[in-house]
Amino acid sequence: MRKLIFAAFLATSVMMSSSAMATEVHVSSTNPVIDLTISETVETPPDIATFSTGVQTMAPTASAAVRANNVQMASVVARLKKLGIANRDIQTTQISLNQQFDYRDGQQIFKGYEASNMVNAKLRDLKELGAFLDALAVDGATNFNGPTFGIDDDSSFQEAARDKVWATAMTRARSLARKAGYTDVRVLRVAENDQGRGYLPVPMVARSMDAVAGKTTPISPGELSVAASMSFTFEMVK
């Protein structure tokens, strides 16, 4: 007689930092068992895009560089808000001030001070993304990184992926049991494997805002795969 443990893990959040609940029940098996790990995906278009944008300014003095940067960055942030991005979706990620030098004939020549300010922002209306990027260029943004596409709430898609996993696991386990001379299976153990957010976003690429100024930027969001993976132990039964 083989003793196994039934473990059911329920994720309480889609974020990678989510906690989990586990329930353990000891189950005895008298027949041979089947161990399976099944992964399935559900495809869906993204509904949000995150990106970083900001301003770099040069000036002969540190105070002048910072003042110019503040004015230009305020215009960029105002444009973000005017285009519908909420305060909660705008986050400062970097503020820096550095001396800049040229090198001529082996000599270091001071150029001035460079101030930089970058923010991350989340756009929830993807139809506006191309025009949105063009508007940022007009308002003084000098850098843009992104977009990274995602799903604001992927819980229903994760549940659909779990349903596919369960159906595949039952079908495969029953097929294997019948090949071994048994008629059916019963679940002894199931565990959901950590998938993080459950999908892979489109890779982020760096672009200069100068390259998109003056025309609408073409954007292709594509689709994302929401994934689920589970491990099972089945007992074969007559």
Side-chain angles (χ1 to χ4, degrees):
M1 181 177 293
R2 180 177 176 180
K3 290 187 176 181
L4 299 171
I5 296 176
F6 179 92
F9 295 92
L10 300 177
T12 60
S13 169
V14 297
M15 300 302 292
M16 293 185 69
S17 61
S18 64
S19 60
M21 298 177 60
T23 302
E24 293 188 355
V25 179
H26 292 270
V27 180
S28 296
S29 169
T30 56
N31 295 321
V33 299
I34 299 169
D35 292 314
L36 294 175
T37 297
I38 305 294
S39 298
E40 293 284 3
T41 61
V42 174
E43 279 65 45
T44 182
D47 58 13
I48 58 173
T50 57
F51 56 89
S52 64
T53 186
V55 172
Q56 289 179 319
T57 53
M58 283 282 296
T61 66
S63 59
V66 170
R67 283 196 302 271
N69 191 272
N70 289 345
V71 170
Q72 215 167 321
M73 193 63 192
S75 178
V76 170
V77 172
R79 171 62 72 170
L80 291 174
K81 295 179 179 179
K82 185 176 180 180
L83 292 172
I85 294 187
N87 286 333
R88 65 187 175 93
D89 291 331
I90 302 173
Q91 182 181 54
T92 299
T93 58
Q94 179 187 14
I95 297 176
S96 64
L97 177 67
N98 297 288
Q99 292 180 328
Q100 299 296 311
F101 297 91
D102 275 337
Y103 291 87
R104 191 177 308 153
D105 299 327
Q107 299 293 317
Q108 189 180 61
I109 302 173
F110 177 70
K111 289 176 56 180
Y113 289 86
E114 182 182 78
S116 176
N117 191 329
M118 298 291 293
V119 297
N120 277 349
K122 182 185 295 183
L123 182 66
R124 299 178 184 274
D125 185 358
L126 297 189
K127 296 189 300 294
E128 302 297 325
L129 185 53
F132 184 89
L133 300 182
D134 300 338
L136 286 180
V138 172
D139 278 297
T142 58
N143 291 286
F144 174 80
N145 294 280
T148 295
F149 294 106
I151 304 168
D152 194 32
D153 181 4
D154 64 1
S155 56
S156 63
F157 302 107
Q158 287 187 335
E159 191 62 27
R162 291 187 190 104
D163 290 343
K164 289 181 65 176
V165 167
W166 195 275
T168 299
M170 293 299 298
T171 299
R172 190 173 301 176
R174 283 172 175 152
S175 174
L176 291 172
R178 287 165 187 150
K179 293 178 187 300
Y182 292 82
T183 59
D184 207 348
V185 296
R186 66 167 180 149
V187 178
L188 296 180
R189 184 187 69 89
V190 57
E192 184 168 20
N193 304 322
D194 183 18
Q195 294 290 305
R197 285 193 61 90
Y199 59 87
L200 294 176
V202 176
M204 180 176 281
V205 295
R207 321 182 53 162
S208 166
M209 293 304 298
D210 292 338
V212 301
K215 64 178 182 178
T216 300
T217 306
I219 301 294
S220 301
E223 288 189 332
L224 300 176
S225 295
V226 181
S229 177
M230 304 172 77
S231 297
F232 300 84
T233 297
F234 295 94
E235 180 188 14
M236 296 186 286
V237 297
K238 292 291 188 179

